[in-house]
């Protein structure tokens, strides 16, 4: 049974997809950090970077957006990747042949108003990635206001159906400079439904252009669907058995929105009435907690370690508690690796990990077993809506892969950098701090010629020093004709200490 849960709260909306009762995918959207992808803006050019042929655009969000010249000139390949389609009409070749290499200075000027669309969410201090190749997506069609191309999704494999859709979009009465795409769902739509949506998209575009003309400052002109509408469309696309919603107003909204698609698929939408929170009732909260851990146990006793560096994520597969007969060690390792491949694909979705990922599988002797594990990983990654590229397995059992990054990861959404360890996850040991303190004490006495010193430390450090090093440090000071006294301050960082002059009370700069 495939079902979707929608948890609506005052500051956050969460969408969970369950397959046979197990968490398969998770989306979280916070109201103060709304999704920007798909939004269209009137922007203003603030800076042009000639060396990398790019520019920064003020779009009236927290950070300026970033646009590369490849996202300014028409880019057919990106449209094909975004909507998984073939532009197989004749005008594509003609248009592509005419395109010449251009310089960004010929296209953009400082303070120039521009019409741009967000294609990648801002992450951390990086602003949103922008494009001037505008696309307005509907349920069945995508309008390309700045492109003449018309195409059909590759996922529609039936030749007759493809020809039917091509004839329909050729017959649309719309400006010649505009293009249109038939999405996968269009195979289920009648001609009337496609014409109605095409008119709606064209009207949306006219509204955008009217607002662009009337605006004088950077502003949002069009907002893409929110998480509720996107989730509802996903449920219809994937033919989920039901959608369960714990907020009555949202339940009523989804019922109204789904009426338009009843002919396509009569989605079952239910209002959740139980007193137990919906995510607890279906064990989603427990799964989210597990997903945030570094260590993930596998059913057969193995486990995974997920770690993040500045350049990549790494996943380490370990045999752990798994057991197998001595004569069948290789098959036991293959079984652990296959379990790991399945769980890694799931964890990448749940954690929303993007960018470069390196997976260290347990070493296997035979090449055929490596292929089995790699094939299983590729099969599981096919369920991921994000674009993934997986390379072969090296002799050391390493697999390199990339996963498209649309927005921040789950950890970036839920966590902030620890102010105590500044994100390192470690602090110095008490012994290390004690050694540093001894070094600074000698320098303070010999170099600064301070002979009456008050040392202020954190209470936990004071406990350690009392048990281990205070007597030694006092004897060391006496041997240098100095005396020391101790004081605690729980406002200090556990790794910090301060030296004061006992005679005038001033801090001694170390």
């Amino acid at each position: 049974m495939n079902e979707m849960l929608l948890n609506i709260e005052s500051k956050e909306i969460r969408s969970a997809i369950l397959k046979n009762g197990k968490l398969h995918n998770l989306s979280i959207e916070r109201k103060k950090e709304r999704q920007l992808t798909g939004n269209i803006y009137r922007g203003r050019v603030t800076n042009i970077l000639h060396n990398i042929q790019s520019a920064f655009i003020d779009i009236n969000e927290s950070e300026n957006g970033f646009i590369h010249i490849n996202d300014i000139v028409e880019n057919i390949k990106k449209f094909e990747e975004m909507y998984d389609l073939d532009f197989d009409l004749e005008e594509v070749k003609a248009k592509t042949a005419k395109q010449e290499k251009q310089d960004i200075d010929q296209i953009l000027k400082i303070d120039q108003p521009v019409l741009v669309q967000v294609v990648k969410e801002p992450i951390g201090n990086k602003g949103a990635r922008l494009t001037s190749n505008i696309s307005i997506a509907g349920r069945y069609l995508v309008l390309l206001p700045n492109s003449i191309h018309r195409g059909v999704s590759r996922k529609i494999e039936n030749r007759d159906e493809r020809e039917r859709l091509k004839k329909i979009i050729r017959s649309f009465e719309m400006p010649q400079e505009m293009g249109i795409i038939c999405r996968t769902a269009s195979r289920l739509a009648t001609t009337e439904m496609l014409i109605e949506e095409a008119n709606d998209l064209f009207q949306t575009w006219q509204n955008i252009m009217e607002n662009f003309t009337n605006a004088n400052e950077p502003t949002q002109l069009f907002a893409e669907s929110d998480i509720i509408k996107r989730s509802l469309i996903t449920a219809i696309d994937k033919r989920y058995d039901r959608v369960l919603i714990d907020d009555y107003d949202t339940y009523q909204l989804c019922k109204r929105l789904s009426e338009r698609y009843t002919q396509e698929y009569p989605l079952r939408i239910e209002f959740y009435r139980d007193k137990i929170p919906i995510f607890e009732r279906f064990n989603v909260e427990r799964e989210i907690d597990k997903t945030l851990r570094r260590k993930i146990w596998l059913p057969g006793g193995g486990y995974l370690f997920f770690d993040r560096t500045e350049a990549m994520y790494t996943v380490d597969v370990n045999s752990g508690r798994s057991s197998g007969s001595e004569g069948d060690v290789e098959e036991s390792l293959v079984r652990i690796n296959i379990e790991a491949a399945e769980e890694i694909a799931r964890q990448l979705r749940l954690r929303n990990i993007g960018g470069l990922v390196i997976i260290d599988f347990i070493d296997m002797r035979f090449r055929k077993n490596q292929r089995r594990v790699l094939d299983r990983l590729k099969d599981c990654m096919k369920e991921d809506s994000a674009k993934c590229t997986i390379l072969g397995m090296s002799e050391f059992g390493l697999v390199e892969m990339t996963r498209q990054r649309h927005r921040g990861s789950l950890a970036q959404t839920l966590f902030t950098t620890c102010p105590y360890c500044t994100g390192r996850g470690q602090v110095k040991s008490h012994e290390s701090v004690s050694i540093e303190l001894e070094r600074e004490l000698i320098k303070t006495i010999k170099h600064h010629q301070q002979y009456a010193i008050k040392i202020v430390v954190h209470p936990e450090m004071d406990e350690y020093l009392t048990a281990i090093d205070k007597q030694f440090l006092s004897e060391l000071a006496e041997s240098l004709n100095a005396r020391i006294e101790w004081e605690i301050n729980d406002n200090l960082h556990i790794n910090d200490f301060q030296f004061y002059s006992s005679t005038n009370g001033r801090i001694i700069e170390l």
Side-chain angles (χ1 to χ4, degrees):
M1 182 178 182
N2 297 337
E3 53 191 343
M4 177 181 287
L5 312 179
L6 285 178
N7 170 225
I8 316 297
E9 294 173 338
S10 61
K11 297 180 180 178
E12 182 179 78
I13 298 174
R14 299 186 294 178
S15 169
I17 296 169
L18 306 183
K19 290 199 171 182
N20 298 317
K22 186 175 183 180
L23 182 61
H24 180 77
N25 211 339
L26 176 72
S27 296
I28 297 177
E29 189 168 292
R30 293 189 169 169
K31 294 183 179 178
K32 71 171 185 177
E33 298 172 357
R34 71 193 193 285
Q35 182 169 311
L36 303 184
T37 301
N39 290 359
I40 298 174
Y41 296 84
R42 177 193 169 103
R44 180 176 58 84
V45 180
T46 59
N47 191 16
I48 296 176
L49 309 176
H50 308 279
N51 55 337
I52 58 172
Q53 291 291 287
S54 302
F56 284 103
I57 311 290
D58 178 9
I59 58 172
N60 197 27
E61 295 290 350
S62 56
E63 298 286 344
N64 287 346
F66 175 84
I67 193 167
H68 188 266
I69 191 169
N70 289 343
D71 294 309
I72 300 173
V73 299
E74 187 176 2
N75 195 326
I76 299 168
K77 186 177 179 182
K78 286 199 174 182
F79 277 134
E80 289 181 338
E81 290 177 354
M82 285 171 64
Y83 297 107
D84 197 19
L85 55 88
D86 286 319
F87 285 125
D88 48 8
L89 304 184
E90 293 179 1
E91 61 264 23
V92 175
K93 294 180 181 178
K95 180 79 174 181
T96 306
K98 291 180 181 178
Q99 285 190 0
E100 298 178 359
K101 189 174 181 180
Q102 294 179 283
D103 190 274
I104 197 166
D105 287 323
Q106 299 172 340
I107 305 171
L108 296 180
K109 305 295 180 186
I110 298 295
D111 289 331
Q112 176 184 336
V114 289
L115 184 69
V116 290
Q117 184 172 32
V118 176
V119 291
K120 186 176 177 182
E121 291 290 312
I123 300 174
N125 294 325
K126 295 180 180 178
R129 181 73 180 260
L130 307 175
T131 182
S132 63
N133 293 303
I134 306 297
S135 60
I136 306 172
R139 173 76 182 95
Y140 309 114
L141 303 171
V142 180
L143 181 68
L144 308 178
N146 302 331
S147 170
I148 64 171
H149 306 307
R150 304 186 181 190
V152 177
S153 170
R154 291 191 191 101
K155 292 182 180 179
I156 302 177
E157 297 176 351
N158 184 287
R159 184 172 295 182
D160 293 337
E161 187 61 37
R162 293 179 65 84
E163 288 301 321
R164 179 184 79 88
L165 292 170
K166 287 178 186 178
K167 287 179 182 177
I168 293 172
I169 60 177
R170 282 195 191 107
S171 67
F172 283 162
E173 295 181 3
M174 55 190 300
Q176 290 185 350
E177 69 273 12
M178 289 191 181
I180 202 158
I181 294 169
C182 286
R183 307 185 75 174
T184 308
S186 64
R187 70 185 188 276
L188 303 171
T190 63
T191 303
E192 292 74 19
M193 292 166 71
L194 294 176
I195 292 172
E196 181 185 358
E197 181 162 284
N199 290 331
D200 289 344
L201 294 175
F202 184 65
Q203 184 60 51
T204 300
W205 171 245
Q206 288 185 316
N207 293 339
I208 289 170
M209 290 308 299
E210 184 179 339
N211 292 334
F212 179 85
T213 305
N214 294 335
N216 296 317
E217 298 291 333
T219 186
Q220 179 180 295
L221 305 174
F222 170 80
E224 188 55 274
S225 301
D226 60 18
I227 187 173
I228 294 171
K229 293 179 183 177
R230 293 197 307 271
S231 298
L232 190 66
I233 295 300
T234 300
I236 294 170
D237 274 346
K238 304 290 186 182
R239 300 295 192 262
Y240 290 155
D241 296 291
R242 70 168 176 174
V243 174
L244 202 54
I245 306 168
D246 66 356
D247 177 75
Y248 189 73
D249 290 340
T250 306
Y251 161 74
Q252 293 282 30
L253 172 64
C254 289
K255 291 286 282 185
R256 290 196 300 272
L257 292 173
S258 66
E259 288 175 0
R260 184 174 181 179
Y261 309 110
T262 304
Q263 282 186 326
E264 181 182 334
Y265 180 66
L267 182 64
R268 184 173 145 209
I269 302 175
E270 296 180 4
F271 176 53
Y272 179 75
R273 302 173 185 276
D274 203 326
K275 292 181 180 179
I276 301 173
I278 188 170
F279 271 34
E280 286 188 23
R281 170 69 176 78
F282 291 90
N283 290 322
V284 176
E285 293 288 7
R286 189 180 302 169
E287 285 294 322
I288 293 174
D289 288 341
K290 283 172 60 178
T291 297
L292 296 172
R293 296 175 192 165
R294 178 174 177 249
K295 186 177 183 179
I296 299 291
W297 284 99
L298 300 173
Y303 57 89
L304 309 173
F305 276 128
F306 283 81
D307 289 297
R308 179 177 181 266
T309 69
E310 193 65 32
M312 70 187 78
Y313 277 88
T314 62
V315 186
D316 185 31
V317 183
N318 296 273
S319 56
R321 299 190 292 243
S322 61
S323 60
S325 59
E326 291 186 8
D328 201 18
V329 174
E330 176 80 0
E331 188 59 32
S332 296
L333 297 180
V334 173
R335 177 177 50 78
I336 296 168
N337 280 336
I338 288 176
E339 283 184 356
E342 294 169 352
E343 186 62 26
I344 287 168
R346 176 171 172 266
Q347 289 293 326
L348 292 180
R349 286 194 308 273
L350 297 181
R351 296 169 186 247
N352 196 29
I353 289 173
L356 179 62
V357 180
I358 305 295
I359 305 170
D360 183 10
F361 286 103
I362 302 171
D363 291 342
M364 295 167 286
R365 292 172 56 195
F366 302 116
R367 201 69 187 171
K368 65 176 184 180
N369 290 333
Q370 292 181 358
R371 284 196 295 270
R372 284 170 59 192
V373 173
L374 190 62
D375 289 344
R376 186 58 185 151
L377 177 63
K378 289 180 178 179
D379 287 342
C380 292
M381 291 305 297
K382 287 178 182 177
E383 301 178 24
D384 201 326
S385 60
K387 182 178 173 59
C388 302
T389 303
I390 303 174
L391 302 183
M393 184 180 291
S394 73
E395 293 183 6
F396 299 109
L398 297 178
V399 173
E400 298 176 56
M401 65 169 288
T402 59
R403 183 175 183 272
Q404 191 175 23
R405 182 189 286 116
H406 288 296
R407 60 185 191 279
S409 66
L410 181 65
Q412 288 173 315
T413 300
L414 300 183
F415 295 150
T416 188
T417 301
C418 171
Y420 210 81
C421 69
T422 62
R424 291 180 298 176
Q426 295 177 318
V427 292
K428 291 178 183 177
S429 67
H430 290 329
E431 184 178 20
S432 297
V433 177
S434 178
I435 291 170
E436 288 183 10
L437 193 151
E438 177 186 346
R439 193 178 297 129
E440 293 296 337
L441 178 61
I442 294 171
K443 185 177 80 171
T444 300
I445 296 171
K446 289 185 174 181
H447 179 68
H448 295 292
Q449 297 184 348
Q450 296 285 341
Y451 298 100
I453 303 167
K454 179 171 70 175
I455 303 175
V456 182
V457 296
H458 187 275
E460 285 190 28
M461 192 64 205
D462 185 70
E463 288 183 19
Y464 173 84
L465 292 171
T466 300
I468 306 293
D469 284 335
K470 269 190 181 180
Q471 184 176 348
F472 165 74
L473 292 171
S474 297
E475 291 173 355
L476 175 65
E478 288 176 7
S479 70
L480 297 172
N481 298 317
R483 61 180 178 81
I484 58 176
E485 55 186 278
W486 300 89
E487 189 174 299
I488 62 172
N489 181 356
D490 57 7
N491 290 323
L492 277 180
H493 189 287
I494 195 170
N495 287 163
D496 288 344
F497 52 84
Q498 295 173 331
F499 286 8
Y500 289 85
S501 169
S502 295
T503 56
N504 59 24
R506 293 179 181 176
I507 192 168
I508 302 170
E509 298 294 338
L510 302 177

